[in-house]
Amino acid sequence: MNDPVWPEGYGRRMLAQVDSTNAEAMRQAGGLSGPTWIFAARQLSGRGRRGRAWRDPAGNFAASLVLRPAEPPGQAALRSFAASLALHDALSALVPGAELALKWPNDVLLSGGKLAGILLEGSSAGGRMMHLVIGIGVNLTGVPEPGEAGALPAVSLLSETGARIAPEVLLDHLAACYAAREAEFQAEGFAPIRAAWLARAARLGQEVTARTMRGETSGRFETVDAGGNLVLSTADGRRAIPAADVYF
C-alpha cells in the first residue's frame, strides 16, 4: 500500500528513549503551538489506566498526541473513541484481515487478546481543557508480563499475524488516520464516531462485567451512549456506567 502523507498541521517529535510518552507530552505541552505527536523508540516507565504499569518490550509502539481541545473536558474526552478507531483503521490497513475489535473504553483487541491500550490525561482550568494527551501503546513484537486475574491475555501483532511492523511506520499511518477521525469529530460531533466504534465493538449484545473501585455490575452490553458511557441491561434495569474496567 502507499505510504500515508503526514497530516498537515500536526507536529512530531521523535525520541530515542523516554520514561513515559504521556509524561513527556505533559512536560512539553505548554511549548507546543499545535497538535503534536511525541514518539519514543523505547518507553521505560509507561502507564496504563488507574496508575498501572504498562510494560514495553523493545520493538513495541509508544506515542502520545498532545491536543488543545476547544470543548469542555467531558466532551473532549470522547476523543478516546476517535483514537481507538484511528488505531483500528491504521492496523486494518497495515494488516488486512487481522481480527481486530474495540473494547470499551479504550483497548484494541486482536484475536480476542489485548493488543493495545489508550490512556487520556490532561489539564484544565475554568471548565476548559488546557491540554489533552492521548497516549497509545501497541504490542507490535512483544507482550508484557501477565496482568491481573481475569484480565484478557496480552498478544502481539507479530505473534498473532506474523506481520512485523516498525513503530515508525505505524506512527505515520496512525497520525493520518487520527487526523481524519479528528476532522470528523470536529465537523460532525460524536455521533458518527460512536456509530463507527459500535460497529467494531467487542462483545456487543453479550454479557460483560464492569468493575469499579466500589463494586461490579454484570449485564448485557447494550450500547455506548452519547456521553461515552457503557450501557448495560441488568436484572435491575438499564445502567449507564461512566468509568470502569470491563471483564469478559
Side-chain angles (χ1 to χ4, degrees), residues 62-82:
S64 297
L65 174 61
V66 186
L67 299 170
R68 289 186 176 175
E71 305 87 2
Q75 186 73 11
L78 294 174
R79 284 178 171 82
S80 64
F81 294 92

Side-chain angles (χ1 to χ4, degrees), residues 1-185:
M1 62 178 297
N2 295 330
D3 292 335
V5 175
W6 187 264
E8 185 177 356
Y10 284 74
R12 58 179 154 181
R13 299 192 176 184
M14 310 293 283
L15 306 174
Q17 183 173 293
V18 74
D19 52 351
S20 155
T21 59
N22 263 31
E24 181 66 14
M26 291 296 288
R27 289 191 289 263
Q28 294 195 26
L32 299 175
S33 58
T36 302
W37 285 93
I38 307 295
F39 169 90
R42 285 302 311 277
Q43 180 180 238
L44 302 180
S45 301
R47 300 193 306 277
R49 280 169 49 81
R50 303 185 188 278
R52 301 185 184 104
W54 177 271
R55 305 299 181 190
D56 278 310
N60 283 357
F61 177 89
S64 297
L65 174 61
V66 186
L67 299 170
R68 289 186 176 175
E71 305 87 2
Q75 186 73 11
L78 294 174
R79 284 178 171 82
S80 64
F81 294 92
S84 59
L85 263 178
L87 183 55
H88 191 291
D89 294 340
L91 291 168
S92 296
L94 286 164
V95 191
E99 296 179 16
L100 298 164
L102 302 178
K103 177 176 177 284
W104 187 90
N106 47 20
D107 291 342
V108 178
L109 308 184
L110 173 62
S111 302
K114 182 172 177 176
L115 176 69
I118 297 172
L119 176 66
L120 267 64
E121 297 183 297
S123 60
S124 61
R128 303 283 298 207
M129 292 294 299
M130 301 296 291
H131 302 100
L132 178 69
V133 173
I134 304 173
I136 300 176
V138 185
N139 300 326
L140 291 179
T141 61
V143 297
E145 296 289 331
E148 63 185 297
L152 290 176
V155 298
S156 76
L157 190 69
L158 179 61
S159 67
E160 296 300 312
T161 69
R164 188 179 291 274
I165 304 297
E168 296 85 353
V169 171
L170 177 55
L171 177 64
D172 288 345
H173 284 79
L174 176 58
C177 290
Y178 182 82
R181 292 295 183 182
E182 173 70 21
E184 181 180 40
F185 183 83

Side-chain angles (χ1 to χ4, degrees), residues 230-247:
L230 176 72
V231 179
L232 300 182
S233 177
T234 77
D236 297 322
R238 204 165 182 254
R239 292 279 305 278
I241 300 170
D245 290 319
V246 171
Y247 295 84

